[in-house]
Amino acid sequence: MSEFITFLLDNQRMIFQSLAIHIHLVIVAVFIGCLIAIPIGTILSRYQKTAKMVLGVVGIIQTIPGLVMLGFALVFFGIGKLPAVIVLALYAILPILTNTYIGITEVDKHYKEAARGIGMTSIQILFKVELPLALSAIISGIKISTVYIISWATLAALIGAGGLGDLIWTGLSTTNDHLIIVGAMLAAVIAVLIGAAIGYIQNLVTPRGLKVRR
């Protein structure tokens, strides 16, 4: 144990730098995923027949192994953070897109009918009724994506993007157990902490009526 603590103290700068890069990759990828998925999910809620086809196509991306996707990105964009962010953003899209679509389409029709009854337009119903009620589901999708991306981002080190994967892969190649443990442990810890934080936000934005129903 003392040896491990000494290792942490001696390499704390490298560890914190890898952690910061990892979190940055995750935040940027999930943010881009949100920018793409939420508007598309909202539009698809108006075209439910088309939605099934689009969701199916996007779902195919999730079945492609991360190393294969990173390989394609490496060929087209070279090494570094750019190809890693592109791949991670693509993986982030499906859970957010699916939850946005489901969240909006499953809003109780009585709420929408009541909104129309007081003279709201379709746009007003979307932004003042549907999206607020679907917000909990959307945040749930963001939570799922974020936790997934934290683990998938460890592969980004293989194409020079850095992050906690650097510690893990370096540890594997040099048989340094300390590097492997630190990289894996930090990835697990930030996944739990960020997941819990997003879950707390989700609980805050969930209307009381929906909480009671659940």
Side-chain angles (χ1 to χ4, degrees):
M1 180 60 74
S2 60
E3 185 182 344
F4 182 66
I5 293 173
T6 302
F7 171 82
L8 293 178
L9 294 174
D10 290 342
N11 296 277
Q12 57 183 312
R13 184 175 179 181
M14 176 187 68
I15 293 169
F16 281 117
Q17 186 177 21
S18 297
L19 178 61
I21 292 171
H22 198 91
I23 293 173
H24 180 258
L25 286 172
V26 171
I27 291 173
V28 172
V30 174
F31 180 71
I32 293 172
C34 288
L35 289 181
I36 296 171
I38 294 175
I40 293 177
T42 302
I43 294 169
L44 290 179
S45 68
R46 269 53 185 164
Y47 304 95
Q48 296 187 22
K49 289 183 180 179
T50 305
K52 293 181 181 179
M53 181 181 67
V54 173
L55 290 172
V57 171
V58 175
I60 293 173
I61 295 174
Q62 300 288 70
T63 66
I64 302 175
L67 287 175
V68 174
M69 290 287 284
L70 287 170
F72 281 123
L74 180 64
V75 170
F76 290 105
F77 302 104
I79 63 172
K81 292 182 181 179
L82 177 61
V85 167
I86 291 172
V87 171
L88 293 175
L90 287 174
Y91 279 121
I93 288 173
L94 182 62
I96 303 171
L97 176 62
T98 302
N99 278 41
T100 301
Y101 170 75
I102 292 174
I104 294 175
T105 55
E106 289 190 351
V107 171
D108 196 315
K109 65 180 181 179
H110 294 100
Y111 295 127
K112 292 182 278 188
E113 289 171 359
R116 288 193 190 94
I118 62 173
M120 282 189 181
T121 64
S122 296
I123 295 295
Q124 288 175 322
I125 292 172
L126 173 63
F127 284 98
K128 294 185 177 182
V129 178
E130 292 176 300
L131 282 175
L133 290 174
L135 189 56
S136 176
I138 295 171
I139 292 177
S140 176
I142 294 172
K143 177 183 175 181
I144 294 168
S145 278
T146 303
V147 173
Y148 283 165
I149 297 305
I150 289 170
S151 61
W152 285 331
T154 56
L155 296 175
L158 295 174
I159 58 171
L164 295 175
D166 258 351
L167 304 181
I168 296 171
W169 297 110
T170 301
L172 288 171
S173 62
T174 60
T175 62
N176 188 325
D177 292 342
H178 292 158
L179 282 173
I180 299 171
I181 292 170
V182 171
M185 183 176 64
L186 285 176
V189 168
I190 62 172
V192 171
L193 292 178
I194 293 178
I198 297 175
Y200 177 73
I201 295 171
Q202 180 188 0
N203 187 60
L204 288 179
V205 302
T206 303
R208 287 186 181 179
L210 295 181
K211 289 180 184 178
V212 172
R213 254 190 248 174
R214 289 175 184 173

